[in-house]
Amino acid sequence: MTSLRLPLLLAGLAALGSAPAQAQDLYLGSRTTQVTRNDFLDGDSTLVGLCGGIVQSTTTLGGKVYIGDVTGNVYVHDPATGSFGYAFTASNDATALESHAGDLLVGGSDGSILRYDVTTGTLKAGLVTGSAIPVHAMVLVDNGLGEQLIVGSLSGLIQSGDPVTGGFQFWASCGNDINALASDGDQLFAADVGGTIWRFEVVTQG
């Protein structure tokens, strides 16, 4: 495990390679309820839309960007058409989003991870983290034995579980509350509220 200290103050983010853009765009959600699309190369920032509450989370699914706010509302943006609008309301406060098998996983501060059909907004299933720890961030990884859903929470605690059946257990820990998780397949990156980014090997958890 290694760590790197950087200034970090983001409510939510998602990266998406989308036509006609040549490079990936970074979508940022803020406490002002704004969602912006930001170009990596030239630094241009474009307002995508406004949510009904503070932005908590973002992810991508099927070429679209999904955004969750503090009220549990989930919004959808289509980069191809520029459209932005309400999708559905989750039964928790949408603190984290991730996609799995065509569905949207919505994490909450109550420890719930709810699986929704993004087309109909229908709740299909639900999981709970170990000891119902709050879900601050989520990311899917494959440790060589199958898919695992990694959850970041309070006090740097990271748990892993099956994205369908749950069974969340301790995976690793960082130095502070976790704000964001990301993975390149081989490594897991965890950003905490102190601005430190922690790096773990997915297979060895070290």
Side-chain angles (χ1 to χ4, degrees), residues 18-29:
S18 57
Q22 296 274 324
Q24 281 191 327
D25 292 320
L26 184 69
Y27 287 81
L28 301 178

Side-chain angles (χ1 to χ4, degrees), residues 48-170:
V48 169
L50 298 173
C51 298
I54 295 171
V55 177
Q56 300 252 70
S57 52
T58 60
T59 195
T60 58
L61 172 61
K64 298 179 180 180
V65 181
Y66 289 85
I67 305 103
D69 74 18
V70 69
T71 69
N73 287 337
V74 176
Y75 305 83
V76 59
H77 166 62
D78 187 342
T81 64
S83 64
F84 178 92
Y86 169 83
F88 62 89
T89 300
S91 297
N92 58 24
D93 52 357
T95 54
L97 298 178
E98 178 62 292
S99 59
H100 179 256
D103 295 325
L104 192 66
L105 304 180
V106 183
S109 60
D110 59 356
S112 65
I113 300 173
L114 307 178
R115 180 180 293 269
Y116 284 92
D117 183 307
V118 292
T119 302
T120 64
T122 301
L123 176 62
K124 299 175 67 174
L127 304 172
V128 179
T129 57
S131 301
I133 63 169
V135 181
H136 288 184
M138 296 188 294
V139 68
L140 279 166
V141 301
D142 192 327
N143 63 3
L145 300 176
E147 286 185 317
Q148 291 290 301
L149 183 62
I150 305 296
V151 173
S153 187
L154 296 170
S155 302
L157 182 61
I158 301 175
Q159 292 187 350
S160 70
D162 187 279
V164 176
T165 61
F168 288 90
Q169 297 180 350
F170 176 83

